[in-house]
Amino acid sequence: MVMNIITSILVMSGMVALGFAIGMLFNGIARKVVARIHNRVGPPVYQGYIDVFKLFSKKTNISHGWIFDLAALFSVGGIALTFLFLPVAGVSMLSGEGDLFLILYLIAIPALGFALGAGASGNPNAAVGMMRALMMMLAYELPIAMVIVAMMVYYNTTSLAGIVAMQSNLKWAIGIPPFLIGALVADMALQGMLMEKPFDIPLAPHEIATGPLVEFGGKHLGSIILYKMMGTVVETTLFVDLFLGGGVVLNVNQFGWFAYLVNFIVWFVLILVVFLIAVIINAVFPRFRIEQALKFYWKYDALVALFILFWIFSGVMV
Amino acid sequence: MRQEDWSKLARIMSKRSLWMVHFCTGCGAMEMPPVLTSRYDMERFGMISMATPRQADVLLVTGYLAVKTLKRLVQVYEQMRDPKYVVGFGSCTINGGMYWDSYNTIKDLSKYMPVDIYIAGCMPRPEAIIDAFLKLMDMIDKGEATGWKKYHKYYKQYKRNQKMAFSYRLDEVKDIEEGDGK
Amino acid sequence: MLVEIFITMLILALVAAALNKYPKISGIVTFFASLIPFLVVISWSQDIGLSFPQFLKFFTLEKSLNYNIGIATFMLKITPLGWFFLLLLASAFPMAILFSITFIKKNAGGFYAAMITSMIGSMGILLAQDILSFYMFWEIMSWSILALVMRSHDKKAIMSYLSFGVLSAMLILLGIMLLYSETGTFVFSEMGFMANNTTLIALSLLVSGFAVKGVLVPMHVWAPYVYSRSEEPFVAFLSGGLSKLGYFAMILFMYSVVGISVLNSWGTFRDVSIFGYTLAFIGALTAFIGTVLAIMQDDLRKLLAYSSIGQLGYIAIGIGIGTPLAMTGALFQALNHTFFKSALFLAAGAVYYRTGKWKISELGGLGYKMPFTFLAVLFAIFALAGIPITSGFAAKWLLYEAAIQKKFLFITPIMLIAGVGAFLYSYKILYGVFLGEPRHNVKEAPLSQLAAMWLLVLPLIIFLIFPGWFVDLTSPILKWYGLMPISHTPYTITTSLAAYNTLAVILALIGGLILAFALYFSKPQKVVPHTDNYLAGEPPELYEHISMHAASKYYEPFDEVFYPFFKRGAEMCWMAILKFVKILGEGARAIYTGIVNDYSIYILIFFLLLVGWWLIW
């Protein structure tokens, strides 16, 4: 019993460390890819690690009081918590203890902590940026909520681990016609979730000086950047779990440790592909205004999602 | 690991990740776009431009500084976190450049804040800029870029010089000078 | 014993009114009076089948009481449902009174007397076993609320409350009359129903009458005016406590009086009665509309009023679906709403008490000045938005699960998006009032106000860790309706679709925070004031007269997008009806001129007709 608990705690801390490591790597890869698209050389792929180390090694750190510090605590703590509730490559750490609704609300914990810190800095740019971030959240949440509800009803479970298990033996959701369209809708929403262009409205360095991040520096900025980097892993994993079977290709009971290895590699490749799609769109697009983004998501994206809902609805009735 | 090893590692890391804030005051800023974009691509050294001084390590002063601008520059400099580096860009920051006899531009930036490295020229070419940054990285690696320590050490003197520059009446200047005597 | 308790409270109300000149003493007397219902409700816990410890039995009370007054018998009896709602009201009520000891200064005796009377009315409603006593206590409660609304001296608030209160009373009375004509008895337990149209009409009338108290769209129009103009302790009790009576009455009449089999006989949709489905849909609509309108408000009280409307919509969804999961979810949401909304209104009152301002755009930076108020608000907002750091999430989770279980494809996304909208207005409160530029040099709120807020927040934290305890609280109600209680342990809830383990969430959060702390304490830091802010290098002393608080018109792009859709709201619809009534009234006015001569002529004509008729006959 005690050994089991210690083992699972070790596995979970290892997974969180892996998540942060992959997040930092993704940051470097994204910058390299964007640079190559711009016909530049670009930074090395390990640039993310250097940046985070540098930020945590700054000599002085400036805070705006204890509410400001909550941002650093809740953003890193909350995103690690969210990661634990996702099934990663078929390894369900805590995902049996909660479901997809819990994950949707857990993602809000780091965001809310971050929002508290941004607000507490007292900078008007941060307030405007936070307003945009929250409106973006409202905008992209509608289509993705519709698609997720359709999937839950189709698979008759709200558990993400359950949805992944249903897609085993390569019966990926993306192979089902309504969810192929659903994956496109969700990918558009993912673009907003990852705050890549054309939906990087909350940050907008040239308009509002990186918005909520404006007063963060040193270890505070380091924490926030860790949260952002881990956030890319969490959000792409969520997408892969929903539509691409969580990257599970081999049955663990049948193949043992080899299956874990293969599954992890497939999961890594899949989240990288999903992330690169977002990065490539990011590299060639300008930025929307916030009301344009809201209208885009609620008019076009949500309309397609509504179509999927009707599709599933007609199936459910039969 | 010992403390020195840690600071050595921190220096190696921070030289490869210099985030800068441009303080675009004069024509020198025109030379920055080629440095940043595909022709010369500064990002291969890990350098990117940041939006606010809170996030930045390098303050790039591109051109002449009017007295009014200096006030803002000092504000920006003091908002940056240590360790921080200042790069004076173009002749204007060294000796006033073509504004050498102007009544309202400052002539020598290093009187008001510690400058780690100057780039001479009116204006310097992108190659020169990149050369300067490589030099700065070298200095950081060796632990020679210690302008921020100097600012803490001689804080009073720097503040006095800044005050002198900001005061526009003769008696104010006199007051500051007399204050030094006491 | 039960009658004595009612009489004691009435006497204490009179004492409080008599002590009008000494507001604090009057408040303390009322506070002791307000504890009586709470002790009563705890004493009853064993009678409805809960295993509370024996020492919590303060009174030995009879379970039921029949009081014959000749023409009819008033029957009062404690039922599991009534007990649960009485628990909610009886815990919110003392906190509102505790808060008002320092808050209410003017004409305090009247305030306290009316508050106690409204509580007496609510107790009667929750215990009533026949229509007559139900309606009588309902009117006592409604009229004492009117007395409290009158204290605002605001014509719009009084008129809107009065007109909707009368509308509600008329609808309920009409429904009651239909029920009586159908069954021929006043007593709930003796009513045997036929699934015919008269019952359907009666039930619809009753539910729409209760919807006025439960502020469901389109009966919500009065709430923003009343909530935003009356005194905060009263509003906290009105929104947190008394609005639940509407939902109590809905559950009572739908599932207890009429019964689920009759509901189902009018048609079902995926095993949910069409009647319930309609209610659930109206609830979802209410949640969405309330949320969107809350985002647009600048007045703190109006924002809270609309958010209250939005959150109450969730309860209607749960009642409409009516499965064990949904009922537990609805009752859990009712409990959460009681506590967090009371706490939020009281906090708004505390902010007003210190700063004298209601507008969010005029406040700011109180988080460092009033840290304990801020933390109480933060927890209340976690509960409101459903962040899994308080019990607010468990309630919403149960409702989502219930909706997915019944495959409600269109209600669930509306609920989810209303939940996200709640983040928007929550952050508006947090930023506009407590974060940002400090503009008021004020002290922390008085101790009695802080105690009231924190005692309200406490249950939210307890039920976060042990949602199973809450399920235990509601299982007598479900058993009473013949439903199976949902499977649970103290900290896990399991449904057919998924499981929710609060202990895992909390432990993982603690683990994450330890990691964050380790990173956070890696380096020392210094604290700078808000004036040392990046403003493109502008020295802040140049801008002393310009506000850096960006809270005015905070969600302007949102308002621009949504305003065209909400320009013609429910209020305009009611105004059109009002206009129609006015035209009718004008017609009547042509006869009732108010001139004595005209009336004498009418009388003369009447007599002449009488005489003529007599002559002819």
Side-chain angles (χ1 to χ4, degrees):
Chain A
M1 181 65 191
V2 179
M3 275 311 287
N4 274 349
I5 291 173
I6 290 171
T7 321
S8 57
I9 286 174
L10 280 178
V11 167
M12 281 189 245
S13 2
M15 289 294 278
V16 168
L18 181 73
F20 279 117
I22 291 176
M24 287 185 245
L25 182 67
F26 272 21
N27 180 276
I29 291 174
R31 281 167 68 179
K32 189 85 186 169
V33 168
V34 171
R36 293 308 298 148
I37 290 171
H38 290 172
N39 201 10
R40 287 189 280 125
V41 178
V45 286
Y46 51 84
Q47 185 67 42
Y49 302 99
I50 298 178
D51 286 349
V52 170
F53 189 94
K54 181 208 74 181
L55 285 169
F56 277 104
S57 72
K58 289 290 258 184
K59 289 272 192 311
T60 55
N61 293 286
I62 292 169
S63 164
H64 280 273
W66 59 271
I67 305 174
F68 186 77
D69 300 338
L70 286 180
L73 297 178
F74 271 89
S75 53
V76 174
I79 201 72
L81 162 72
T82 316
F83 187 68
L84 289 177
F85 277 84
L86 285 171
V88 176
V91 180
S92 52
M93 289 165 282
L94 286 176
S95 58
E97 316 294 332
D99 66 349
L100 199 41
F101 289 120
L102 181 68
I103 292 165
L104 288 182
Y105 275 89
L106 282 181
I107 292 180
I109 293 181
L112 199 93
F114 177 35
L116 281 180
S121 71
N123 195 310
N125 285 322
V128 173
M130 220 47 242
M131 177 272 277
R132 293 176 176 198
L134 286 163
M135 273 186 67
M136 274 296 296
M137 197 168 162
L138 185 73
Y140 67 67
E141 204 82 3
L142 181 67
I144 207 164
M146 283 166 148
V147 173
I148 283 177
V149 166
M151 293 195 78
M152 283 173 178
V153 169
Y154 183 85
Y155 287 114
N156 199 21
T157 177
T158 58
S159 159
L160 192 56
I163 290 176
V164 171
M166 296 268 198
Q167 300 179 32
S168 57
N169 300 328
L170 293 175
K171 283 186 288 186
W172 290 357
I174 207 163
I176 302 162
F179 296 134
L180 178 63
I181 306 170
L184 290 176
V185 170
D187 192 60
M188 281 296 103
L190 191 70
Q191 195 78 16
M193 259 194 207
L194 295 171
M195 287 191 196
E196 301 283 3
K197 279 173 193 144
F199 301 113
D200 68 334
I201 312 157
L203 298 179
H206 316 97
E207 290 173 50
I208 50 171
T210 61
L213 291 173
V214 60
E215 277 298 303
F216 288 88
K219 65 175 182 183
H220 298 93
L221 185 62
S223 298
I224 301 295
I225 281 190
L226 271 182
Y227 151 55
K228 287 257 174 257
M229 288 167 173
M230 181 69 141
T232 59
V233 178
V234 166
E235 281 146 13
T236 48
T237 305
L238 184 61
F239 184 88
V240 168
D241 279 347
L242 281 174
F243 296 102
L244 300 170
V248 182
V249 286
L250 290 182
N251 192 341
V252 176
N253 297 330
Q254 215 174 335
F255 295 93
W257 64 269
F258 180 67
Y260 279 114
L261 186 69
V262 172
N263 288 347
F264 263 95
I265 292 167
V266 172
W267 164 72
F268 179 76
V269 171
L270 285 176
I271 60 169
L272 185 61
V273 168
V274 171
F275 181 61
L276 281 183
I277 292 171
V279 168
I280 289 166
I281 296 174
N282 169 45
V284 293
F285 267 91
R287 186 183 307 128
F288 270 146
R289 284 214 316 271
I290 182 67
E291 58 265 37
Q292 287 170 330
L294 186 65
K295 279 175 187 164
F296 171 82
Y297 277 126
W298 281 48
K299 253 189 199 166
Y300 306 109
D301 225 21
L303 205 67
V304 180
L306 196 65
F307 172 67
I308 296 160
L309 275 188
F310 271 110
W311 198 334
I312 297 295
F313 183 74
S314 58
V316 166
M317 291 303 279
V318 176
Chain B
M1 251 202 292
R2 283 171 310 159
Q3 186 66 36
E4 287 166 30
D5 294 340
W6 269 115
S7 49
K8 173 98 177 122
L9 187 64
R11 285 207 302 272
I12 291 172
M13 289 294 190
S14 56
K15 81 165 185 184
R16 295 293 295 181
S17 155
L18 289 177
W19 295 357
M20 57 185 174
V21 55
H22 319 166
F23 200 90
C24 299
T25 56
C27 42
M30 210 58 238
E31 293 297 319
M32 287 315 289
V35 179
L36 289 169
T37 51
S38 48
R39 178 83 194 210
Y40 294 99
D41 185 27
M42 213 148 72
E43 205 184 352
R44 64 199 150 118
F45 305 114
M47 298 190 71
I48 44 174
S49 57
M50 296 309 276
T52 80
R54 295 284 191 213
Q55 305 162 348
D57 309 300
V58 178
L59 178 61
L60 197 64
V61 189
T62 58
Y64 74 93
L65 282 162
V67 174
K68 203 173 155 190
T69 327
L70 182 69
K71 215 175 221 172
R72 274 80 182 160
L73 186 72
V74 170
Q75 176 88 8
V76 166
Y77 181 70
E78 286 182 353
Q79 280 181 344
M80 289 168 68
R81 269 92 156 153
D82 295 338
K84 52 194 176 185
Y85 316 101
V86 180
V87 177
F89 184 107
S91 320
C92 299
T93 51
I94 301 171
N95 55 10
M98 62 187 280
Y99 304 97
W100 62 275
D101 59 349
S102 168
Y103 63 96
N104 70 341
T105 59
I106 57 124
K107 308 299 178 300
D108 185 4
L109 181 60
S110 62
K111 260 172 86 180
Y112 309 100
M113 58 178 61
V115 181
D116 289 288
I117 194 162
Y118 281 114
I119 310 170
C122 183
M123 303 179 287
R125 295 270 308 152
E127 291 93 333
I129 299 169
I130 287 188
D131 192 42
F133 279 128
L134 287 178
K135 189 87 197 302
L136 179 66
M137 285 178 198
D138 220 35
M139 284 165 70
I140 293 169
D141 196 16
K142 287 181 192 149
E144 289 167 1
T146 52
W148 54 279
K149 282 182 189 162
K150 227 164 114 188
Y151 193 69
H152 287 302
K153 199 173 170 191
Y154 302 110
Y155 186 70
K156 256 188 191 162
Q157 282 83 341
Y158 279 119
K159 273 282 156 225
R160 177 185 165 277
N161 285 352
Q162 287 163 11
K163 237 186 209 169
M164 290 269 275
F166 298 153
S167 53
Y168 52 91
R169 289 203 316 269
L170 261 180
D171 50 334
E172 277 183 27
V173 178
K174 242 175 220 166
D175 280 355
I176 294 166
E177 278 174 350
E178 277 168 17
D180 287 347
K182 282 168 196 170
Chain C
M1 188 67 190
L2 201 53
V3 178
E4 280 87 333
I5 281 169
F6 275 103
I7 291 169
T8 318
M9 284 182 69
L10 213 55
I11 291 169
L12 283 172
L14 289 175
V15 171
L19 288 169
N20 195 10
K21 277 194 178 168
Y22 313 98
K24 286 219 166 143
I25 299 170
S26 177
I28 289 163
V29 168
T30 316
F31 180 65
F32 284 113
S34 70
L35 287 175
I36 295 173
F38 187 73
L39 297 179
V40 165
V41 77
I42 296 293
S43 305
W44 255 323
S45 59
Q46 281 167 346
D47 294 327
I48 60 139
L50 285 171
S51 54
F52 274 38
Q54 191 63 40
F55 67 85
L56 287 173
K57 202 170 173 69
F58 302 102
F59 300 105
T60 316
L61 292 162
E62 65 265 47
K63 275 174 155 183
S64 60
L65 174 86
N66 292 350
Y67 196 76
N68 199 322
I69 55 159
I71 51 163
T73 312
F74 291 111
M75 294 172 74
L76 301 182
K77 186 182 165 211
I78 188 69
T79 58
L81 185 70
W83 182 84
F84 176 77
F85 277 92
L86 192 53
L87 176 70
L88 298 189
L89 264 70
S91 10
F93 185 55
M95 298 308 130
I97 300 295
L98 185 61
F99 186 89
S100 28
I101 292 174
T102 44
F103 191 83
I104 300 288
K105 300 221 169 83
K106 210 170 59 183
N107 197 4
F111 175 81
Y112 291 124
M115 284 290 271
I116 296 179
T117 333
S118 74
M119 188 64 206
I120 291 173
S122 326
M123 275 176 80
I125 294 165
L126 295 169
L127 298 176
Q129 283 306 303
D130 63 313
I131 292 178
L132 277 185
S133 44
F134 179 89
Y135 190 72
M136 189 185 78
F137 283 115
W138 186 275
E139 288 303 303
I140 292 177
M141 185 264 295
S142 295
W143 288 100
S144 39
I145 292 177
L146 179 67
L148 288 160
V149 175
M150 295 273 270
R151 286 170 59 84
S152 67
H153 299 294
D154 184 277
K155 198 183 162 207
K156 199 144 192 183
I158 297 166
M159 284 314 286
S160 57
Y161 179 75
L162 196 59
S163 46
F164 274 90
V166 169
L167 178 69
S168 155
M170 288 300 139
L171 289 169
I172 294 169
L173 201 58
L174 217 57
I176 285 173
M177 273 150 59
L178 280 176
L179 280 189
Y180 181 69
S181 72
E182 189 71 13
T183 58
T185 174
F186 285 123
V187 185
F188 290 154
S189 54
E190 289 169 13
M191 288 179 172
F193 277 103
M194 306 287 281
N196 55 17
N197 285 345
T198 322
T199 319
L200 178 62
I201 292 167
L203 191 60
S204 313
L205 286 171
L206 282 170
V207 168
S208 44
F210 300 138
V212 174
K213 264 291 158 320
V215 286
L216 283 180
V217 168
M219 304 292 200
H220 68 286
V221 177
W222 63 278
Y225 294 114
V226 173
Y227 286 11
S228 67
R229 307 251 158 92
S230 308
E231 288 139 315
E232 287 325 285
F234 158 59
V235 174
F237 185 52
L238 176 62
S239 165
L242 297 171
S243 64
K244 304 297 172 306
L245 291 174
Y247 294 100
F248 161 77
M250 277 184 212
I251 301 177
L252 181 74
F253 277 90
M254 276 172 69
Y255 294 107
S256 183
V257 176
V258 172
I260 186 87
S261 56
V262 178
L263 283 180
N264 282 347
S265 67
W266 289 318
T268 55
F269 175 72
R270 297 203 195 112
D271 297 336
V272 174
S273 62
I274 296 275
F275 191 87
Y277 186 83
T278 318
L279 184 63
F281 201 82
I282 290 173
L285 213 63
T286 307
F288 181 73
I289 289 174
T291 304
V292 171
L293 286 172
I295 295 168
M296 292 181 179
Q297 303 307 318
D298 186 33
D299 190 315
L300 182 56
R301 294 171 297 175
K302 268 203 168 170
L303 193 154
L304 289 174
Y306 278 113
S307 97
S308 188
I309 293 167
Q311 296 297 318
L312 288 167
Y314 283 95
I315 306 178
I317 297 171
I319 295 172
I321 297 173
T323 56
L325 262 181
M327 285 302 260
T328 316
L331 295 173
F332 208 159
Q333 175 73 6
L335 177 127
N336 284 332
H337 185 268
T338 304
F339 291 111
F340 72 68
K341 192 54 77 174
S342 304
L344 280 176
F345 270 117
L346 292 185
V351 166
Y352 177 75
Y353 184 77
R354 283 302 187 208
T355 62
K357 290 201 169 113
W358 290 119
K359 289 224 182 261
I360 291 174
S361 53
E362 290 171 5
L363 291 159
L366 294 177
Y368 293 115
K369 307 278 178 196
M370 305 168 79
F372 292 103
T373 313
F374 169 69
L375 279 178
V377 168
L378 192 62
F379 274 104
I381 271 176
F382 282 155
L384 185 151
I387 307 279
I389 307 182
T390 53
S391 63
F393 175 72
K396 289 195 174 163
W397 182 78
L398 286 168
L399 290 170
Y400 291 143
E401 291 286 309
I404 291 287
Q405 208 175 38
K406 288 290 170 192
K407 301 195 190 306
F408 281 175
L409 277 167
F410 298 98
I411 286 181
T412 325
I414 299 177
M415 283 160 76
L416 272 169
I417 206 68
V420 177
F423 295 150
L424 267 77
Y425 63 70
S426 304
Y427 189 67
K428 194 171 186 173
I429 302 173
L430 285 179
Y431 175 72
V433 180
F434 292 102
L435 305 178
E437 182 194 23
R439 294 155 125 192
H440 302 276
N441 204 4
V442 293
K443 278 190 296 185
E444 178 59 277
L447 197 62
S448 80
Q449 303 189 356
L450 275 184
M453 281 182 261
W454 273 97
L455 285 172
L456 285 166
V457 167
L458 205 62
L460 299 173
I461 298 167
I462 292 171
F463 286 122
L464 157 75
I465 308 169
F466 302 108
W469 291 1
F470 176 81
V471 181
D472 286 334
L473 272 187
T474 52
S475 55
I477 304 174
L478 295 184
K479 277 179 199 150
W480 195 46
Y481 288 125
L483 299 171
M484 280 294 290
I486 56 178
S487 62
H488 64 280
T489 64
Y491 47 81
T492 55
I493 301 177
T494 319
T495 72
S496 68
L497 300 169
Y500 170 41
N501 186 340
T502 51
L503 203 65
V505 175
I506 293 161
L507 290 180
L509 179 66
I510 290 170
L513 286 181
I514 288 170
L515 171 73
F517 260 104
L519 286 173
Y520 174 74
F521 282 116
S522 61
K523 288 279 166 183
Q525 66 179 27
K526 67 172 187 195
V527 178
V528 297
H530 83 284
T531 44
D532 186 7
N533 239 321
Y534 172 68
L535 295 165
E538 286 298 319
E541 65 267 17
L542 288 181
Y543 285 88
E544 263 171 359
H545 57 287
I546 289 180
S547 168
M548 293 209 305
H549 199 55
S552 167
K553 288 186 187 171
Y554 192 59
Y555 290 112
E556 199 178 8
F558 181 91
D559 299 352
E560 277 171 15
V561 173
F562 277 93
Y563 181 70
F565 298 102
F566 286 87
K567 205 163 50 178
R568 297 172 195 283
E571 202 172 335
M572 286 185 73
C573 171
W574 287 110
M575 281 298 171
I577 293 172
L578 189 71
K579 217 173 176 181
F580 179 68
V581 174
K582 249 186 186 163
I583 292 165
L584 281 185
E586 293 291 326
R589 193 82 190 160
I591 303 168
Y592 294 101
T593 51
I595 303 165
V596 181
N597 301 358
D598 292 353
Y599 292 141
S600 56
I601 288 168
Y602 293 153
I603 294 168
L604 192 69
I605 292 167
F606 179 71
F607 264 101
L608 284 176
L609 283 174
L610 208 68
V611 168
W613 178 62
W614 177 69
L615 282 177
I616 294 159
W617 183 72

